């Protein structure tokens, strides 16, 4: 197995639940998630709002807070110290601190929530650097901070500024620089929202990709914007109502999406390679997680639904290239296979 294909993180059968207050129902925001990320790979996660993308990221990085709980599943990390893997769901806070920043770092959806607005940038970098290199000197901290800021296109002088003095895009880039501070194996990024426009988001990602080529870390990137992922990711997972409904190579998701939901998402975004045409959103809206329809959660919005879709929840099935949770596609594939074997027997 080459270094590029070795698994770095393996999520197995993971559920994440938000526990409701006494008279409220629990919300299962992620269900039966199976996902693998390989060293040096860029994995994109897309899906409409409230599909569970951020919840999954916080569960993977173990940054989840009450009322979120992980009632089942594993998040196994394979690093140099644990080539046989270690389950982060079972790890305690002290163990997790050792993984944070040096193995996995996270760039959250709201940069302002992660940077202290009234602390100078260099002080925040110092905290992270010292956590893993307790004896690092002040001069070394300034030197490393300057180097990290330059990597994301920020002039080193900004290290003496407060986060509230920076623009939204600068803050987001400063967070990425911070995420790179301890040479992690994996950077997990939730899409920057309000503070950053689409052009800036693209610029930030381009930066990340350049650095990724240089340092070889893996990236998990979450966004609503499927077209951004189609350009940048190696593989893409599509989430709907807390489940992965399709996962496969970015090229396949772009050119030959299988799940009707992926097809709908794909058609709602313009592609750089195609001529402009009228785009249609997916009719209807995502279900309330507390009142999921029976069978396939996408069924009420799906133009291809068959009876089985109401009766039975589809599992992720291997299709020609990607894997999708769709009875219609699975049955088509079974028919194709049957035809090709009976054809071969003749
Ligand atoms: P967006 O694209 O808008 O960022 P998302 O895909 O990241 O959405 P999540 O934020 O993971 O979605 O939310 C998934 C579900 O979990 C939603 O129904 C949301 O209401 C619920 N949820 C999220 N955070 C909490 C919380 N702290 N307490 C209760 N429910 C929550
Ligand atoms: Mg989110």
């Amino acid at each position: 197995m080459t270094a590029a294909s070795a698994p770095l993180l393996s999520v197995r059968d993971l559920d994440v639940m938000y526990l409701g207050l006494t008279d409220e129902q629990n919300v299962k925001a992620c269900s039966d998630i199976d996902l693998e990320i390989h060293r040096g790979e860029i994995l994109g996660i897309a899906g409409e709002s409230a599909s569970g993308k951020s919840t999954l990221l916080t569960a993977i990085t173990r940054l989840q807070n009450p009322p979120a709980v992980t009632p089942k599943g594993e998040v196994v990390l394979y690093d140099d110290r644990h080539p046989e893997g270690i389950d982060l769901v079972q790890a305690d806070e002290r163990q997790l601190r050792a993984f944070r920043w040096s193995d996995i770092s996270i760039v959250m959806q709201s940069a302002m929530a992660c940077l202290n607005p009234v602390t100078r940038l260099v002080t925040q970098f110092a905290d992270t650097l010292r956590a893993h290199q307790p004896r690092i000197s002040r001069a070394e901290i300034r030197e490393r901070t300057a180097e990290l800021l330059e990597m994301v296109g920020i002039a080193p002088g900004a290290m003496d500024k407060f986060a509230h003095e920076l623009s939204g895009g600068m803050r987001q880039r400063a967070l990425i620089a911070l995420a790179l501070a301890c040479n992690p194996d994996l950077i997990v990024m939730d899409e920057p929202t309000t503070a950053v426009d689409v052009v800036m988001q693209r610029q930030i990602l381009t930066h990340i990709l350049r650095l990724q080529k240089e340092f070889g870390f893996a990236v998990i990137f979450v966004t609503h914007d499927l077209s951004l992922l189609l350009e940048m990711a190696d593989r893409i997972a599509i989430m709907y109502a807390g489940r992965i409904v399709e996962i496969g190579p970015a090229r396949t998701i772009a050119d030959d999406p299988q799940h009707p939901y992926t097809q709908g998402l794909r058609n709602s975004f313009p592609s750089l390679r195609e001529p402009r045409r009228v785009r249609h959103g997916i009719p209807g809206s995502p279900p309330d997680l507390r009142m999921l329809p029976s069978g396939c959660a996408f069924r009420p919005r799906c133009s291809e639904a068959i009876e089985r879709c109401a009766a039975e929840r589809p599992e992720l099935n291997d299709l020609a290239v990607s894997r999708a949770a769709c009875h219609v596609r699975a049955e088509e594939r079974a028919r194709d296979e049957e035809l090709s074997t009976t054809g071969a027997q003749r």
Side-chain angles (χ1 to χ4, degrees):
M1 194 183 275
T2 63
S5 68
L8 174 62
L9 193 86
S10 181
V11 180
R12 295 178 197 150
D13 209 22
L14 187 80
D15 277 5
V16 186
M17 190 114 84
Y18 290 102
L19 299 179
L21 298 174
T22 32
D23 54 348
E24 287 171 357
Q25 244 180 294
N26 297 338
V27 174
K28 203 175 184 195
C30 290
S31 300
D32 306 327
I33 304 288
D34 276 306
L35 194 66
E36 205 149 78
I37 174 119
H38 300 258
R39 288 191 174 268
E41 180 184 40
I42 300 178
L43 174 74
I45 302 180
E48 285 165 294
S49 204
S51 56
K53 305 179 300 294
S54 299
T55 303
L56 178 59
L57 290 196
T58 45
I60 288 178
T61 51
R62 308 313 298 153
L63 283 168
Q64 70 183 26
N65 288 315
V69 294
T70 312
K72 80 169 166 69
E74 296 179 344
V75 177
V76 182
L77 173 73
Y78 302 89
D79 69 357
D80 298 340
R81 286 166 294 157
H82 308 88
E84 74 295 348
I86 174 163
D87 182 8
L88 300 183
V89 173
Q90 303 300 333
D92 61 30
E93 196 43 45
R94 188 187 52 83
Q95 286 173 309
L96 289 176
R97 265 201 301 276
F99 297 119
R100 253 173 227 142
W101 305 104
S102 62
D103 283 288
I104 303 179
S105 47
I106 183 162
V107 181
M108 293 298 280
Q109 205 158 11
S110 156
M112 209 54 204
C114 305
L115 289 172
N116 185 338
V118 294
T119 308
R120 288 180 205 281
L121 274 188
V122 66
T123 315
Q124 312 202 31
F125 279 72
D127 286 347
T128 302
L129 291 167
R130 278 203 194 101
H132 292 273
Q133 261 178 284
R135 282 197 291 274
I136 189 168
S137 71
R138 241 181 83 82
E140 283 168 333
I141 286 170
R142 291 192 70 83
E143 196 181 319
R144 178 79 177 132
T145 304
E147 182 184 63
L148 288 163
L149 289 176
E150 276 186 316
M151 278 185 202
V152 296
I154 299 180
M159 78 171 84
D160 292 309
K161 287 199 171 18
F162 298 100
H164 73 82
E165 296 178 290
L166 306 177
S167 69
M170 290 258 271
R171 280 201 288 265
Q172 198 67 33
R173 278 188 283 163
L175 261 193
I176 291 165
L178 191 60
L180 292 168
C182 301
N183 298 314
D185 293 329
L186 173 64
I187 295 192
V188 172
M189 256 193 96
D190 208 344
E191 104 186 301
T193 42
T194 43
V196 177
D197 62 25
V198 178
V199 177
M200 180 61 76
Q201 199 185 138
R202 193 170 286 272
Q203 266 181 27
I204 289 173
L205 263 190
T206 310
H207 259 300
I208 294 247
L209 291 199
R210 216 194 59 235
L211 295 164
Q212 192 267 345
K213 287 205 172 62
E214 194 177 338
F215 299 105
F217 48 80
V219 180
I220 302 182
F221 183 75
V222 157
T223 180
H224 287 103
D225 185 349
L226 185 59
S227 60
L228 199 66
L229 291 186
L230 295 176
E231 282 173 56
M232 305 207 170
D234 297 314
R235 271 192 316 141
I236 296 177
I238 306 290
M239 288 189 73
Y240 189 76
R243 290 177 180 274
I244 293 178
V245 294
E246 183 159 2
I247 181 162
R251 184 40 73 75
T252 309
I253 302 286
D255 297 341
D256 192 19
Q258 296 294 313
H259 197 288
Y261 178 63
T262 315
Q263 293 170 350
L265 268 190
R266 174 72 194 78
N267 287 335
S268 355
F269 286 104
S271 143
L272 291 182
R273 283 185 282 150
E274 276 175 19
R276 273 170 189 271
R277 59 184 165 101
V278 179
R279 296 280 151 191
H280 302 282
I282 306 169
S285 48
D288 182 336
L289 293 172
R290 284 165 298 227
M291 286 184 284
L292 285 180
S294 65
C296 172
F298 186 61
R299 171 180 49 89
R301 298 171 77 185
C302 183
S303 61
E304 296 186 69
I306 52 176
E307 248 172 60
R308 191 176 166 198
C309 304
E312 191 187 325
R313 200 183 50 231
E315 303 287 331
L316 272 178
N317 274 304
D318 286 332
L319 299 175
V321 184
S322 67
R323 308 184 75 211
C326 173
H327 291 313
V328 178
R329 291 293 100 77
E331 290 190 3
E332 279 171 2
R333 181 161 169 81
R335 270 197 301 277
D336 287 351
E337 276 176 355
E338 199 175 326
L339 278 179
S340 67
T341 48
T342 50
Q345 279 163 3
R346 260 188 220 120

